[in-house]
Amino acid sequence: QQQVKQSPQSLIVQKGGIPIINCAYENTAFDYFPWYQQFPGKGPALLIAIRPDVSEKKEGRFTISFNKSAKQFSLHIMDSQPGDSATYFCAASPFDTGRRALTFGSGTRLQVQP
Amino acid sequence: GAGVSQSPSNKVTEKGKDVELRCDPISGHTALYWYRQSLGQGLEFLIYFQGNSAPDKSGLPSDRFSAERTGGSVSTLTIQRTQQEDSAVYLCASSPRLGSYNSPLHFGNGTRLTVT
């Protein structure tokens, strides 16, 4: 119930393309869904996050789409650039008083070709 | 301002030796987390500390792993009798308070542990 399943494992797109990374969860107590971006040799950094009271959130070229009934959420990167090449992790956590550490997906390595 | 600092950045040790990994969180952050990232894998939760509350140790993989947080600031992750499967990048993160929508995790760059 604590798992977050992420796909694809890797993704190659051309500059300007729109990579889409998908995540699915089972724990209905999850109500916070962030995405983290990690460059080689660096720690992950928060990119964008969403709560389940909205179905979509945009920040610049990054958009999260959220489907509560399907328990799925996805990251879209509009007009992707070579500088977006990184590993992306989805994550989730509950907002109850129990364990509230983030559960991460397995990561997607994105390569944007010039 | 200064971010989360981890030391050493790289550590090579022989199987069976003990190692200590250090994390200096962002000043004022009350929550501190340790995660492990194996090659090509996601982030595996190990332990978190929140203020003066008892730490959540539910992610520690075995009793060879332990962690302390002194004075509500610096944390040390200790691995005793290291095994080759302990080889990974150990990431520390801090947040102003226990994880919530407005309290994102700030990660350090990790310590890459190699057990030979």
Side-chain angles (χ1 to χ4, degrees):
Chain A
Q1 276 236 326
Q2 291 295 327
Q3 278 191 323
V4 177
K5 297 182 179 179
Q6 183 172 347
S7 63
Q9 188 175 19
S10 63
L11 189 55
I12 300 174
V13 300
Q14 297 295 317
K15 177 183 175 182
I18 306 175
I20 301 172
I21 304 170
N22 301 297
C23 285
Y25 64 97
E26 295 181 356
N27 188 344
T28 55
F30 285 157
D31 75 340
Y32 170 57
F33 304 92
W35 285 87
Y36 280 76
Q37 179 188 54
Q38 184 180 32
F39 293 105
K42 302 294 185 182
L46 179 66
L47 186 63
I48 185 173
I50 196 169
R51 291 290 303 277
D53 51 345
V54 296
S55 60
E56 185 177 277
K57 182 176 182 181
K58 291 183 180 181
E59 286 187 4
R61 294 183 294 106
F62 300 92
T63 299
I64 300 179
S65 297
F66 184 81
N67 186 329
K68 187 174 181 178
S69 61
K71 291 184 286 186
Q72 296 176 347
F73 57 110
S74 60
L75 177 69
H76 297 61
I77 306 176
M78 309 300 290
D79 187 28
S80 59
Q81 301 297 312
D84 297 330
S85 297
T87 299
Y88 293 81
F89 294 95
C90 63
S93 73
F95 204 72
D96 61 20
T97 56
R99 172 180 159 185
R100 293 168 65 182
L102 286 171
T103 299
F104 284 85
S106 55
T108 296
R109 179 172 290 185
L110 172 66
Q111 184 179 346
V112 181
Q113 295 182 332
Chain B
V4 176
S5 178
Q6 292 188 245
S7 60
S9 55
N10 282 283
K11 177 70 176 179
V12 180
T13 190
E14 293 180 352
K15 177 181 174 181
K17 300 286 189 181
D18 298 351
V19 295
E20 286 188 350
L21 312 180
R22 177 187 169 103
C23 173
D24 284 90
I26 293 173
S27 177
H29 281 192
T30 61
L32 185 147
Y33 308 75
W34 284 97
Y35 282 85
R36 178 169 70 176
Q37 184 174 22
S38 301
L39 185 63
Q41 300 297 312
L43 282 72
E44 175 189 6
F45 166 74
L46 298 177
I47 185 172
Y48 75 66
F49 300 86
Q50 168 60 22
N52 296 320
S53 301
D56 179 346
K57 304 179 181 180
S58 60
L60 295 178
S62 77
D63 59 8
R64 296 186 296 104
F65 288 73
S66 63
E68 291 184 339
R69 188 178 186 191
T70 55
S73 181
V74 172
S75 178
T76 301
L77 177 68
T78 301
I79 308 173
Q80 296 179 312
R81 305 181 302 282
T82 52
Q83 304 294 312
Q84 288 186 332
E85 60 263 29
D86 298 335
S87 296
V89 175
Y90 289 82
L91 289 162
C92 176
S94 68
S95 70
R97 56 190 177 278
L98 195 58
S100 68
Y101 189 68
N102 294 317
S103 184
L105 272 61
H106 298 260
F107 281 89
N109 290 333
T111 292
R112 181 177 297 278
L113 175 65
T114 303
V115 182
T116 62

